[in-house]
Amino acid sequence: MNKLYLFGIGGTGSRVIKALTMLLASGIDTNKFEIVPIIVDPDAANGDVTRTVQLLKDYNYIRKEIQANVDTEGFFQTNIEELSPGANYKFGLGDTNNKKFGQYININGLDQANEAFVRLLFSEENLDADMQVGFKGNPNIGSVVLNRFIDSADFQNLANGFKQGDRIFIVSSIFGGTGAAGFPLLLKNIRNVESTFPNYKLLQDAPIGALSVLPYFNVTVDDGSSIDGATFVSKAKAALNYYDVNVSGNNSLNSFYYIADNYTSNQVNNEGGVGQKNQAHFVELASALAIIDFCRESSHRLECANAQAIAPIYKEFGVQNDTLTFGLENLSPATSQLLNTPLSQFTLFTLYIGSKLQEAREQNWAKDLNINSLMGSSFYSHLTQFVNEYRGWLNEMGNNQRTFSPYNLNVGEGNLFEFVNGYKADAGMFDKGGKSYGRFDFILSKVDKEIDSKSQGNKRFVDLFFAATNELIKTKYNF
C-alpha cells in the first residue's frame, strides 16, 4: 500500500492535519493511501501541535481496536502512521530548546569578519529571538534552522522507506515565519537530494503537491509581541514573488493549491507555547480537502523527469455562495458530493454517543454488544475523547468568522433529524420507530441482525453505527 508523506509546517500545518484527521474519521477515503503526518514546528509546546498530536494518537488507538480495513467502507478506515516510532508525529529540527538564535548559530564562536557579516544579515532582535516558541514571523531565522533538516535522522527514515508510488504533500502558511521558510527549503532539498541517500532517484522524481495558505486570519495588536498582523499581506506578496521564480518558475511541484479568505477575523496574539490555540477555521477544512484531492489525482498527471514536474497543476478552492455564514448547502457540487454524506454520518454518530447511548443499555442491539462493558473500556475513553474534540472543532468553526456551521449540535430529543443546517429531512411518515432517536434505535436493531456475525466487540459497535448512520443519512437527506 502506498504512502502519502504529509508535512504540516507551523501552526497552520498542524491545524490542517487536525482537520484531515476529522475527515478520515468520518470515512472519507484517500484512494487507499496511508497517511504519514510529519509536523514541522520548533515550538514543541505549541497548543495547536499538542492538540493535533493527541488527536492522532486517539485516532490510531481507535483504529487498531476496531481492526479497521482500508478495503472496506467505515469510520477510521485510513491508516495513519508515524515516520519515526515514538516521535509523536513530529520532525526533529535539532536542539532549539532554550536557545536564542544567536546561540544556535554560535555567533560568539565566529571570527570577527564572519560575525560582522552575520550582524549585517540579522538584527539584534533576530539574534536575541527565543526559538523555543518558533520563528515568530521571521522566515529569515526559519530558513537557517530548517535548512538543516536533510541531515536529520527523520529525513534518513523517509529516504529509507520511500517506495515507487509514494507521494509527498506539504502544507504551510505563506504569511508567517515557520511555514514561509520551511516549504521552499523542504521542496528544494527533496528535489535536489544527493545520490548518497537511499532511493534518491525516487525522491527527486516523486509526485509532490503543496498547499500555500494565504492570510485567512489576523491577530490582535500587541506592542509587546513580535508578531504583527499588519505585515501578513506584505509577507505573503514577497513569498509569492519568490515562489514565482523558485517554485512555480522551475516546475518543482506537480500540484500547487492556493487558498485564502479575504475576510479575516482576529485571533489572540500569542507568540507560541501552550497558549497558541487558534480557533478552527473552514480554510483548514478546505485545505484538508486539497490533500484528499491530491491523493485521488491520477498518477499519469503527476509525472516528473529530471526532478521537474512535466505538467504542473494549479488549483484554487471556492464555495458556491460567498456568504459570511454558510453550511453544507453553500459548497460547490464537487465538494458536497465528497463531504456531505460521510461528515453527516459521523456527526450523527457523535450525537447518539453524546445524548442517547447511556439510555440505550436495554436495547437488544446494546445487550448483544455488552454495551456496559464497552462503555467502561479504554477504547470508549479514547472514542469519547475524539468525539469531544470533533464537536469542539465544529463549534470553533461555527464561532469563527467566516462562520461555517453545517450542523446543530444542540438538536432536541424530539427533532434529531433537524441537525443538518440548511437541509430539510424527509418526513418519513411511515418510518418505524418514530421520527427521532426512536427511528435511530429501530435502524440499529435492524442493522444489528444484518452485519457480519464475525464482527464482535469494539469493531461490531463501530460497524453497526456506520451502517445505521449510512442508511439514515441516505434516506433522510437529498445530498
Side-chain angles (χ1 to χ4, degrees):
M1 191 168 293
N2 290 125
K3 297 178 180 178
L4 177 76
Y5 292 89
L6 172 60
F7 288 89
I9 306 178
T12 298
S14 289
R15 291 190 296 276
V16 172
I17 290 176
K18 178 179 179 179
L20 177 67
T21 307
M22 300 301 188
L23 298 186
L24 300 184
S26 76
I28 292 178
D29 75 273
T30 57
N31 196 22
K32 301 193 186 310
F33 276 91
E34 293 182 358
I35 305 297
V36 184
I38 306 165
I39 297 171
V40 183
D41 197 323
D43 184 0
N46 184 301
D48 288 324
V49 173
T50 54
R51 289 200 298 179
T52 298
V53 168
Q54 185 58 54
L55 190 77
L56 290 167
K57 288 180 176 180
D58 288 333
Y59 179 102
N60 267 328
Y61 188 96
I62 294 163
R63 190 175 189 278
K64 288 174 183 175
E65 284 287 311
I66 66 174
Q67 305 162 40
N69 189 335
V70 72
D71 293 320
T72 58
E73 286 188 326
F75 299 139
F76 302 96
Q77 67 167 317
T78 296
N79 189 37
I80 298 176
E81 65 177 50
E82 288 187 275
L83 174 64
S84 301
N88 288 329
Y89 308 96
K90 299 175 187 176
F91 199 98
L93 287 171
D95 184 16
T96 59
N97 287 338
N98 300 315
K99 281 188 177 179
K100 296 182 179 180
F101 181 61
Q103 293 174 305
Y104 182 82
I105 62 176
N106 191 25
I107 188 170
N108 292 330
L110 300 176
D111 60 40
Q112 187 175 6
N114 282 325
E115 180 180 345
F117 180 66
V118 167
R119 291 188 183 279
L120 282 175
L121 295 175
F122 298 99
S123 68
E124 286 301 318
E125 185 180 3
N126 288 157
L127 294 171
D128 200 43
D130 182 2
M131 293 191 300
Q132 187 167 335
V133 291
F135 307 134
K136 297 186 288 188
N138 295 296
N140 55 334
I141 295 176
S143 62
V144 174
V145 179
L146 292 167
N147 205 33
R148 297 185 180 183
F149 87 95
I150 201 166
D151 299 321
S152 69
D154 286 327
F155 188 80
Q156 187 73 39
N157 288 340
L158 190 156
N160 286 334
F162 201 83
K163 300 288 188 295
Q164 183 71 43
D166 291 346
R167 298 178 183 181
I168 295 169
F169 198 90
I170 306 167
V171 178
S172 63
S173 70
I174 203 172
F175 55 97
T178 308
F183 160 50
L185 287 171
L186 179 60
L187 180 61
K188 180 192 74 172
N189 283 317
I190 293 172
R191 288 297 190 208
N192 298 324
V193 65
E194 296 179 357
S195 59
T196 54
F197 279 88
N199 304 311
Y200 78 94
K201 191 59 179 171
L202 287 178
L203 282 168
Q204 287 178 350
D205 290 335
I208 302 180
L211 172 82
S212 276
V213 184
L214 283 76
Y216 69 103
F217 65 85
N218 208 328
V219 293
T220 55
V221 175
D222 183 349
D223 293 336
S225 172
S226 60
I227 299 175
D228 182 3
T231 66
F232 284 177
V233 172
S234 60
K235 286 180 179 178
K237 288 181 178 178
L240 286 170
N241 285 332
Y242 179 83
Y243 293 177
D244 188 47
V245 176
N246 297 285
V247 178
S248 306
N250 60 16
N251 290 359
S252 294
L253 284 175
N254 297 91
S255 289
F256 203 178
Y257 297 79
Y258 293 96
I259 191 162
D261 191 356
N262 57 10
Y263 185 83
T264 55
S265 58
N266 282 344
Q267 300 281 359
V268 175
N269 191 330
N270 195 306
E271 291 188 346
V274 295
Q276 186 172 327
K277 294 180 181 179
N278 287 10
Q279 279 201 321
H281 194 288
F282 177 75
V283 160
E284 295 146 12
L285 170 57
S287 299
L289 292 173
I291 301 168
I292 301 291
D293 183 79
F294 183 71
C295 289
R296 295 184 173 194
E297 189 63 77
S298 61
S299 296
H300 78 271
R301 295 194 68 196
L302 302 175
E303 293 178 347
C304 290
N306 300 317
Q308 288 187 316
I310 294 173
I313 304 166
Y314 301 94
K315 296 186 179 183
E316 296 178 329
F317 183 88
V319 294
Q320 189 84 346
N321 306 110
D322 183 12
T323 60
L324 292 183
T325 299
F326 66 108
L328 299 178
E329 77 278 13
N330 302 107
L331 302 177
S332 69
T335 304
S336 294
Q337 185 177 12
L338 174 67
L339 191 68
N340 289 14
T341 295
L343 204 66
S344 298
Q345 276 188 246
F346 194 72
T347 303
L348 190 57
F349 175 42
T350 68
L351 286 171
Y352 195 101
I353 288 177
S355 301
K356 197 67 178 176
L357 193 60
Q358 288 282 355
E359 303 174 17
R361 299 170 189 265
E362 297 306 312
Q363 295 284 333
N364 288 335
W365 65 264
K367 291 179 180 178
D368 289 345
L369 278 169
N370 191 8
I371 202 75
N372 288 328
S373 175
L374 182 145
M375 291 179 69
S377 68
S378 295
F379 161 75
Y380 190 71
S381 176
H382 282 273
L383 179 62
T384 52
Q385 186 165 291
F386 191 98
V387 163
N388 289 337
E389 282 296 313
Y390 175 80
R391 291 166 66 94
W393 176 68
L394 287 176
N395 279 325
E396 286 180 17
M397 287 193 291
N399 292 328
N400 214 327
Q401 296 182 29
R402 173 176 320 251
T403 300
F404 181 60
S405 184
Y407 304 112
N408 175 12
L409 299 180
N410 298 313
V411 67
E413 173 77 20
N415 56 347
L416 171 63
F417 297 111
E418 294 178 15
F419 84 101
V420 184
N421 292 332
Y423 285 88
K424 184 175 177 58
D426 182 270
M429 294 181 63
F430 303 104
D431 284 348
K432 293 182 179 179
K435 303 187 182 302
S436 191
Y437 282 103
R439 178 62 179 170
F440 203 149
D441 283 325
F442 175 83
I443 296 299
L444 285 167
S445 297
K446 170 176 169 284
V447 171
D448 184 47
K449 299 170 185 175
E450 300 171 352
I451 62 175
D452 188 352
S453 61
K454 296 179 183 178
S455 173
Q456 298 298 328
N458 300 332
K459 176 174 173 54
R460 188 176 182 87
F461 174 76
V462 176
D463 287 348
L464 174 65
F465 271 90
F466 180 82
T469 55
N470 184 263
E471 181 170 336
L472 287 166
I473 294 299
K474 288 186 175 179
T475 56
K476 286 290 183 181
Y477 301 97
N478 183 24
F479 288 151

